[in-house]
Amino acid sequence: MSKAGRLVVLVSGSGTNLQALLDASADPSYGARVVAVGADRDGIEGLARASKAEVPTFVEKLRDYGTRADWDAAIAAKIASYEPDLVVSAGFMKILGAPTLDAFPVLNTHPALLPSFPGAHGVRDALAHGVKVTGCTVMLADSGIDTGPIVAQEAVPVRPEDDEAELHERIKTVERRLLVDIVGRMAREGWTVSGRIVRIGNQSGGEST
Ligand code: GRF
């Protein structure tokens, strides 16, 4: 069974999911703490949040490397230097390659109910499709785009007046709570993966979270 005390969190933007993890891990009983924050770009609020919390940061930009494989190797090496038990991709807008995925469990969060509406525009795509319920998914990352084993999901109703920004904000309120809950439980109770079925703690049969 895997456990997840040391977290490296990867961000590309505002970092509100990161902030929720930083806030939760201020309490030692949470069981996990953010030991480093990585990004694929400079000047984002996520990095500022990490600095404010006195958590080390690193930036690996794809354009600084000759090939994607070089970037994959560089970010994996940077992540490894912080010896994480779990990597959390929290609004990180890059697909991680084998050097990271083979070395560490990676948890990802997505603002739609997978397998519906994967990819960079999950909220926009759900709205355009006219769904009445969407939500968020916390999953283990694999080499695909939002295709990994699902750890937890929560539904969010779509309101007739919603635009993409409003709906995304409402999803993110739920997403932050779910991510904090799941990371804490994975850290404290451990988890196992059997095929596509993820179980936290010593649950036997039936449950999917
Ligand atoms: C989240 O909804 C995440 O699922 C999506 O982008 C958003 C990131 O928000 N990929 P934040 O940077 O944590 O505020």
Side-chain angles (χ1 to χ4, degrees):
M1 180 158 328
S2 308
K3 293 237 177 182
R6 292 174 64 85
L7 310 176
V8 168
V9 182
L10 303 177
V11 295
S12 296
S14 63
T16 63
N17 281 284
L18 163 66
Q19 188 67 55
L21 289 168
L22 289 168
D23 293 347
S25 59
D27 179 351
S29 70
Y30 181 60
R33 70 192 171 92
V34 181
V35 296
V37 172
D40 61 339
R41 61 199 76 187
D42 295 312
I44 54 172
E45 208 183 329
L47 289 171
R49 292 175 190 276
S51 300
K52 195 167 171 212
E54 298 181 347
V55 170
T57 62
F58 59 89
V59 177
E60 294 292 353
K61 297 178 210 162
L62 190 51
R63 68 165 180 267
D64 290 345
Y65 292 90
T67 66
R68 181 85 184 203
D70 290 343
W71 178 82
D72 279 333
I75 196 159
K78 203 56 84 71
I79 291 168
S81 72
Y82 292 98
E83 302 181 350
D85 299 305
L86 181 69
V87 176
V88 183
S89 172
F92 186 63
M93 300 307 284
K94 293 270 184 307
I95 303 294
L96 291 161
T100 298
L101 295 176
D102 291 350
F104 308 102
V106 178
L107 200 66
N108 194 4
T109 174
H110 181 70
L113 291 177
L114 295 170
S116 293
F117 312 117
H121 304 293
V123 180
R124 186 189 308 172
D125 294 345
L127 261 183
H129 198 85
V131 297
K132 305 306 177 207
V133 175
T134 184
C136 52
T137 302
V138 175
M139 84 220 88
L140 288 167
D142 65 10
S143 59
I145 298 177
D146 299 326
T147 52
I150 291 169
V151 183
Q153 294 183 298
E154 205 165 312
V156 174
V158 179
R159 296 177 185 158
E161 67 277 16
D162 271 339
D163 62 16
E164 184 181 355
E166 275 174 280
L167 179 58
H168 199 174
E169 277 313 308
R170 242 178 27 263
I171 292 170
K172 282 174 66 170
T173 302
V174 175
E175 189 180 15
R176 288 188 285 265
R177 175 173 42 72
L178 187 66
L179 182 66
V180 164
D181 176 50
I182 291 300
V183 169
R185 287 180 53 207
M186 288 171 78
R188 295 186 302 271
E189 301 171 40
W191 75 93
T192 57
V193 186
S194 171
R196 289 198 56 86
I197 306 303
V198 182
R199 291 202 172 90
I200 297 178
N202 290 317
Q203 296 170 351
S204 54
E207 297 190 46
S208 61
T209 61

